[in-house]
Each structure stands twice: as C-alpha cells, then as structure tokens.
Amino acid sequence: STRALHPPTQCAICLCEKNNVLNLFNKCNHPQACLSCLRTHYVTHQIQTQDASNFPLTCFWPGCHRTLRDTQIRYLVNNQEEMNMFYALNSKAKQKRTEAKREARPLQRRVLNFQTLQNCSVCETPKPVYPGRAKRFICCRTQQNITVISPEEVKSIVEVVGDALVNCPCCHRLICKDGGCDHLTCVCGNEFSFDKAQQRWNN
C-alpha cells in the first residue's frame, strides 16, 4: 500500500526534505521519493506522453523492477482522464507483448528443431543432433557433448536464414535453399519437397 512517511524525509529524486515522501512498496528497502517527483516521473513523463514502450510501469529506483498497480497509480494521477490514459497504455503494452510472443514462437520452434550432424567420437559415424535443445547425444553407448555448433550460433543462423533451412528426411543433412523450385535433391541422392520438409521442421 502507499503511505506517507513522517517526520520529513529526503526525497531520493529531488534530494529535498519533504513531508510527503511515499513508500510505494512496503518491501522496497531503497530510498523513496516525494509525491510531486513521483507525479512528474510517472504522470508527466510516462502517462501524458502516451508512450506504451515504458509499460508496465515499474519502481523508479534503478534495479528495482516491482510493477506499479492501478491502486498506486490512482494515488499519483490528478484526474480520471489520466487514469483512463494509464489503463489504455497498459492495455496497449500488453497487446504488444502478446504479439511479440506470438511472433517469437516460430523462431523458438525452429531453434528447438534445428538438426545437424556430428561425428561420433567412437565410431566416427555422422549422427543427427539437436544443439538448440540438448547439450549431449548418445552413440556407441557413450554420452558425448554436442560441440559442432553452439545454441547461440543456432539462434543466429535461424534468425538470418531460417526460412531457407531444411533437413534432408533421409540423411538429416542440413540444407539451405537458395532459390529455385520446391523440388530438392540432397547430396545423398534423396529427392524431396522443400515445403513438406519445412512443415515438419516448423512443427
């Protein structure tokens, strides 16, 4: 809950001794700020500018990421119009986060399904591995580290050429398609449809 602190306390923003220094969060141990500074920080600079990129609003103190509730904002705004602006911006920011997650899902699936080959250290046979989802693979009854490519490199590759990548359904070799028709012929001799192989890769 939001409550005033007495006697006069130094505001963490303007550094003046004030009677209306507020404790926005009971469990925050950092210095607090006065009502006028909080109104300037949240209402003037963030709500009235109507920039949803700053939402949800969090504690002003650097490193403190507690999210402000509408009951706390209601104590800071000057009227119902500003409160309505807060609700609208909060809703807009939530919608943007939802859209960003939806757009990220295909990328995440491709990272998890990214398949390449790594030679077994015992029999030296190429084995399909999934570096985006696992750190090790088993061959010849031996657990071995996936070293052919790192998860970070997998994500970078998928972000750049993910739409053109596919695995051969037969030998699992990674193929990057550079134009042409849907029909592909792998170096192993297997012929397959790029679109159908990509559907399996994206699911």
Side-chain angles (χ1 to χ4, degrees):
S1 61
T2 305
R3 54 189 175 84
L5 299 178
H6 300 285
T9 307
Q10 186 183 58
C11 170
I13 297 178
C14 66
L15 303 180
C16 297
E17 295 289 329
K18 298 286 187 72
N19 286 316
N20 61 349
V21 170
L22 302 177
N23 187 6
L24 286 176
F25 300 97
N26 290 328
K27 295 184 179 180
C28 284
N29 296 320
H30 57 71
Q32 302 298 325
C34 68
L35 179 60
S36 58
C37 286
L38 289 173
R39 280 178 173 163
T40 301
H41 177 74
Y42 291 111
V43 180
T44 304
H45 293 164
Q46 303 195 56
I47 295 178
Q48 290 181 352
T49 58
Q50 299 192 39
D51 183 5
S53 63
N54 295 323
F55 283 70
L57 298 180
T58 57
C59 181
F60 72 92
W61 190 258
C64 183
H65 305 293
R66 291 178 179 271
T67 302
L68 271 69
R69 299 176 181 271
D70 56 348
T71 52
Q72 294 162 314
I73 295 297
R74 190 175 294 279
Y75 194 81
L76 301 176
V77 297
N78 298 301
N79 49 56
Q80 186 60 40
E81 181 182 358
E82 290 177 345
M83 195 67 206
N84 292 339
M85 290 170 61
F86 165 78
Y87 284 130
L89 289 167
N90 222 20
S91 178
K92 185 178 180 181
K94 185 177 180 179
Q95 183 178 356
K96 284 187 175 182
R97 292 195 300 272
T98 302
E99 291 174 355
K101 288 180 180 179
R102 188 182 301 116
E103 292 174 357
R105 284 170 188 163
L107 173 64
Q108 293 170 351
R109 285 196 297 269
R110 287 178 176 179
V111 169
L112 292 175
N113 292 334
F114 185 96
Q115 186 185 65
T116 188
L117 298 175
Q118 178 171 320
N119 290 345
C120 170
S121 61
V122 179
C123 67
E124 298 187 355
T125 303
K127 294 293 181 180
V129 295
Y130 294 89
R133 69 169 76 168
K135 295 181 179 180
R136 299 175 181 85
F137 71 103
I138 298 176
C139 186
C140 298
R141 299 182 180 180
T142 304
Q143 194 174 68
Q144 305 173 42
N145 291 330
I146 297 177
T147 57
V148 65
I149 190 172
S150 69
E152 292 75 20
E153 291 171 325
V154 169
K155 185 176 180 180
S156 297
I157 292 172
V158 169
E159 286 177 344
V160 176
V161 292
D163 291 335
L165 290 177
V166 74
N167 288 101
C168 171
C170 181
C171 71
H172 307 290
R173 185 175 275 104
L174 188 65
I175 299 172
C176 184
K177 182 176 180 288
D178 185 16
C181 67
D182 178 64
H183 181 266
L184 293 181
T185 302
C186 180
V187 293
C188 72
N190 181 50
E191 298 183 17
F192 62 97
S193 164
F194 175 82
D195 288 339
K196 289 183 179 179
Q198 261 257 326
Q199 288 175 10
R200 291 193 293 268
W201 208 58
N202 291 332
N203 292 330

